[in-house]
Amino acid sequence: MLLTSIILLFVLLILGTPVGFTMAVVGSIGLWQLLGFNAMLGVLTTAPLSAANSYEMITVPMFLLMAELVILSGLADNLFSAAATWLGRVRGGLAIATTLAGAGFGAIAGSSTASAATLASTTIPAMTKQGYESKFSCGVVAISGTLAMLIPPSIALVLYGLIADVNIGQLLIAGVIPGLLVTFTIILTIWIIVLFIPGTAPEGRGYTWQEKISVLKAAGPLLFLFAAVTGVIYTGVATPTEASALGALGAFILAMIKRNFTAKQLRHAVIRAAQTSCMVLLIILGAQIFGYFIALTHFTQDMITWVHGLGLSRWLIIAMVLIGLLILGCFMDQIAILFLTVPVLVPLIKAYDFDPLWFGVIMIVTAELGMVTPPVGMNAFVIARYTNRPLTEIFSGVTPHIFAHVLVIILLVAFPEIILWLPRTMNN
């Protein structure tokens, strides 16, 4: 029965059925087979309230609203301008500026595809104008967009915390150092490519100190907003839920100060944030129904017992899990992967004495690769749509960054303190 349900689940996902609806349908059919029609109706009656009745859930719509308001204010574009101006004559400076803008925008947006779309519309035309190789620039934008999945506030980390019942505040802070490490790795990869293949990127022009200070002032409010949201979580002044509300309020004030949006645009920003929030909530509802079914089949407990019986090293187990996630990332959306695998994998890694906080960050870094790996890398499709470039060219441009990302994952697995040190210093 379980095997049939999993096959049906993957068939529906391959056919393009929405993730939340797919899990709800498959879970309902499974419950009907196991418990009967009336029991299934009982679960369907209580599941919506159970899924939505979470204080931490408020974090998702607030962070999404903050991102929409920042995009509306136009401040996100200032990040790229500031980085490009300060890097000046550095060969490949615009590519490095794109990475820094991706990190900065990721600290506000929390959505990889939104970050990739914004970067594509802003940075690729600028790099093309200066004579950057198209394959190179598209690869940089695609990989830089993934930083939004890791650097707080990260919607992916929030969802992992909700599913795995891990402290969301600690999760968000745990993403800071790995986020900076991944950012540095992308920059180092750009530098190596430009060093060995100079034709991929030209030198830029220099800027005066007056111009540099001027653009820094323009990007300053956005950097302050990121520091404020992360800072109040780290110091314990506010919970992640309260910090998300403060972030949305701060973004609204910044947009008001800019005075470049109308009431209609504000309404559209709120509607977009609400629509995305409803999508996430539907996925949580579907995952909860599917989770009831999985729990009744005792699949998780049986799998843990079976894996223990293999007598494999705990490090070999975690390597197999990460390879499996990389393979899934080539074919499935990252949110679907989270909701399908976390309820099963977290009990397994706990059984092998791995920290679920550490595993959450490792899982998100691994999921980043899925955003750029063929055949379903979502960021690659976003870049292709905005640039009208072939997918093969974008995947080719991002390949060096994929290998660099794998090295980062190995480093984070080998040295867990890179992830765990900062959360342990928090004021809870």
Side-chain angles (χ1 to χ4, degrees), residues 150-152 157 171-181 226 230 422:
L150 184 60
I151 296 178
L157 284 174
L171 267 173
L172 292 174
I173 297 303
V176 172
I177 293 179
L180 295 175
L181 178 61
F226 158 67
T230 307
L422 196 59

Side-chain angles (χ1 to χ4, degrees), residues 75 77-87 207-221 223:
L75 288 170
D77 295 340
N78 294 338
L79 288 173
F80 175 69
S81 300
T85 301
W86 274 82
L87 288 165
Y207 292 87
T208 65
W209 278 102
Q210 183 178 0
E211 289 174 312
K212 291 179 179 181
I213 298 300
S214 176
V215 295
L216 195 60
K217 288 180 179 178
L223 298 176

Side-chain angles (χ1 to χ4, degrees), residues 88-104:
R89 294 185 183 278
V90 176
R91 183 179 291 277
L94 283 183
I96 297 173
T98 298
T99 302
L100 295 175

Side-chain angles (χ1 to χ4, degrees), residues 45-67:
T45 302
T46 57
L49 178 61
S50 177
N53 189 25
S54 170
Y55 176 68
E56 289 80 7
M57 258 301 298
I58 304 172
T59 308
V60 175
M62 288 295 99
F63 279 145
L64 289 171
L65 180 59
M66 181 175 73

